[in-house]
Amino acid sequence: MHAGFSSFLPRPRSHRTTSLALLLAFALPVAAATIDDAIPAMQTPPTLGAHTLLTQSEGDGSSPAITSAVHTQDDGSSLLVLVAGHADNDATPTDSYANTWKLVGDPVTYNGYDARFDARAYIAIGAHGGKHHTVQVAKNGSPNGEISMPFIEIAHAGKLQDVAQNYPTPGVAARTANKLARAWEGVVGGPDTTSTLLTSGTVTTTGPATLVAVWLGDAYIYSMTAVPGDGFKVVDSYLHLPPNSGVQCAVAIRQVNAAGTYSVTWSGSPAQGAILWLFAFQAP
């Protein structure tokens, strides 16, 4: 009886603890691996990188027109270049890291200059970069002509999610009010204080994005303002031109952290129309 009963006695506690530890040791690595595999890699949101603005005034230009050198990321960025000036200088940009540039939409012709001037936008997605990065455009038609060329890097941006381009001008009521204001200022000898509000098209994002807004005014004036609203901040501008003229330009940026639909309204003085672009860059 005692021998039979002793065969069913419980095992010592130390033995049970050792067995449980062994089971956990084998089970935990598998569970941890499963949890790690289920967590997606975090993407770095896009952000403004290096940027510069090349300007050449009318009669003092040269070919090729070359931007100042900036330090861009080695890879993973998107690049944006706009070329505004004489329409016969229609060559595609090239850069010092041999990226491929793609025209975004069609060239936009300025109002009121007999189609002699236009503006074009180009992007390079998944671009190569590094130190002393420049962009240039051959000016085959009017080598000494005026040109403005913003060059903007959007770091950690693998795609152009959306783009809007429009060309608003002051409405009938605004034009009438501005005409009366100019007439009165002419009588009293005051400066032109007319103004206008111009709103871009809309872009829609699916997550964090860098929004790039570009304003290109069209009036034959030499000093002006162009102030964006809606959370945008100007990073480069050319708004006080020399007596021999140039292509007025302003570039503004806004970082957004969530999906949404966005636009920008520019306040400008004196009143004029403007070619507007709005780009939304996101991570791949």
Side-chain angles (χ1 to χ4, degrees):
M1 288 291 294
H2 291 290
F5 183 77
S6 64
S7 66
F8 293 95
L9 287 173
R11 296 177 181 178
R13 179 171 178 169
S14 61
H15 185 80
R16 294 200 308 273
T17 303
T18 303
S19 299
L20 179 59
L22 288 170
L23 287 171
L24 289 173
F26 283 107
L28 283 175
V30 176
T34 303
I35 292 171
D36 289 343
D37 291 344
I39 299 175
M42 294 295 290
Q43 287 185 323
T44 302
T47 187
L48 174 66
H51 56 93
T52 186
L53 171 60
L54 165 73
T55 62
Q56 294 181 350
S57 58
E58 183 64 29
D60 289 334
S62 59
S63 181
I66 306 175
T67 67
S68 298
V70 295
H71 185 179
T72 56
Q73 300 294 311
D74 291 343
D75 52 50
S77 292
S78 291
L79 305 177
L80 171 65
V81 165
L82 288 100
V83 181
H86 287 261
D88 56 3
N89 292 330
D90 57 358
T92 298
T94 59
D95 72 295
S96 53
Y97 282 86
N99 289 293
T100 299
W101 293 90
K102 179 181 178 182
L103 182 67
V104 181
D106 296 319
V108 182
T109 302
Y110 279 87
N111 293 333
Y113 295 91
D114 299 321
R116 293 186 297 114
F117 297 91
D118 70 7
R120 308 182 303 279
Y122 298 87
I123 56 170
I125 301 296
H128 302 295
K131 295 180 179 179
H132 309 298
H133 197 158
T134 61
V135 175
Q136 68 178 46
V137 170
K139 297 166 69 178
N140 298 322
S142 301
N144 65 343
E146 62 193 81
I147 188 172
S148 286
M149 191 164 71
F151 171 29
I152 306 117
E153 176 194 24
I154 304 89
H156 316 300
K159 62 180 175 181
L160 176 61
Q161 178 66 26
D162 201 3
V163 60
Q165 191 283 311
N166 64 330
Y167 193 166
T169 58
V172 174
R175 287 199 301 269
T176 301
N178 287 331
K179 184 176 181 180
L180 292 173
R182 284 194 180 102
W184 171 249
E185 287 157 358
V187 170
V188 299
D192 187 343
T193 60
T194 60
S195 62
T196 190
L197 295 175
L198 302 176
T199 300
S200 73
T202 60
V203 294
T204 300
T205 68
T206 59
T210 298
L211 308 181
V212 183
V214 181
W215 175 98
L216 298 166
D218 65 3
Y220 193 59
I221 53 181
Y222 296 97
S223 185
M224 68 222 71
T225 62
V227 181
D230 307 289
F232 283 80
K233 179 182 178 181
V234 172
V235 294
D236 287 304
S237 65
Y238 184 51
L239 302 175
H240 301 286
L241 312 184
N244 52 323
S245 188
V247 182
Q248 48 194 282
C249 174
V251 178
I253 301 293
R254 180 184 174 185
Q255 298 289 148
V256 296
N257 297 320
T261 297
Y262 304 94
S263 63
V264 57
T265 295
W266 293 83
S267 173
S269 180
Q272 61 179 308
I275 298 171
L276 302 182
W277 262 284
L278 182 58
F279 305 85
F281 290 91
Q282 292 187 204

